Amino acid sequence: MTYEQLASSWPAFSQSIIQFMSQLGLDKLALECDHTALRVNSTHAAQQLQHEFAEHGTIISNNMINGRPILIIELNQPLRLNDMTIDCVELPFPGEKSYPAEGWEHIELVLKSDAQECDTLSQDLLAALPNLKPVLAGETEVKVKMSSPKGDKERLANPTIAFKKGGLCIKVHPHGIKAVIASES
């Protein structure tokens, strides 16, 4: 997996993500897409991408989350997702889990909320988008995972709701990645 391969696969990935957002109705909320994330299965691949991304951006965070390094790279030239710009890429080093495919894995959207945990975030999301009730209730083919990942230095609670279907994932949380990083200092 190289930077060039990622750049050439972005249009297909972004089109699939846009369709998934539309299916969920998230496109109606005009949410900010604060970052997108990659998946790699080897430390060597992660180190190679870290080196290649250094030519296209700046590492603004290198934090331990769930026992593994996760880099946030602010891009010199943002990625486009319809009318949204995405200026950060999350590059997690591999953990114990191996992924069926390396490359683009998910995007993360910011739903402005004061939620400190997933139940409140879920209620806020349902208030904005009531048609998600069957999805959040587990009554559709979309898998839903709620979590509260936290970096070693983070002070800002950022509960997350992940929607997964067909190898795609869209995560919703109340704070953008730059606000989370700012909470570390």
Side-chain angles (χ1 to χ4, degrees), residues 53-58 73-78 87:
F53 268 103
E55 298 174 19
H56 301 278
T58 305
I73 301 144
E74 185 173 26
L75 300 171
N76 297 334
Q77 175 136 1
D87 61 356

Side-chain angles (χ1 to χ4, degrees), residues 40-166:
V40 295
N41 288 325
S42 75
T43 300
H44 174 73
Q47 290 169 334
Q48 178 180 336
L49 283 172
Q50 177 182 354
H51 176 72
E52 291 182 27
F53 268 103
E55 298 174 19
H56 301 278
T58 305
I59 295 171
I60 60 172
S61 177
N62 182 348
N63 203 349
M64 293 296 286
I65 300 176
N66 297 330
R68 63 188 175 142
I70 296 187
L71 307 179
I72 304 296
I73 301 144
E74 185 173 26
L75 300 171
N76 297 334
Q77 175 136 1
L79 295 166
R80 300 282 309 161
L81 185 70
N82 263 0
D83 58 348
M84 292 183 271
T85 57
I86 306 171
D87 61 356
C88 290
V89 172
E90 175 185 327
L91 173 58
F93 275 62
E96 295 175 15
K97 181 178 176 181
S98 185
Y99 296 93
E102 293 184 303
W104 300 112
E105 199 261 347
H106 71 261
I107 63 163
E108 301 202 18
L109 302 172
V110 178
L111 175 70
K112 299 293 183 194
S113 166
D114 293 327
Q116 298 288 304
E117 32 61 36
C118 291
D119 285 343
T120 303
L121 181 60
S122 179
Q123 292 168 10
D124 291 348
L125 186 55
L126 280 175
L129 206 57
N131 70 305
L132 275 178
K133 186 174 183 176
V135 176
L136 290 169
E139 299 168 1
T140 70
E141 73 281 0
V142 176
K143 290 186 168 82
V144 177
K145 179 181 175 188
M146 298 193 189
S147 64
S148 295
K150 191 168 172 134
D152 289 349
K153 303 175 210 162
E154 289 172 15
R155 294 185 185 95
L156 186 62
N158 204 23
T160 302
I161 302 172
F163 299 95
K164 297 180 179 187
K165 180 183 173 191

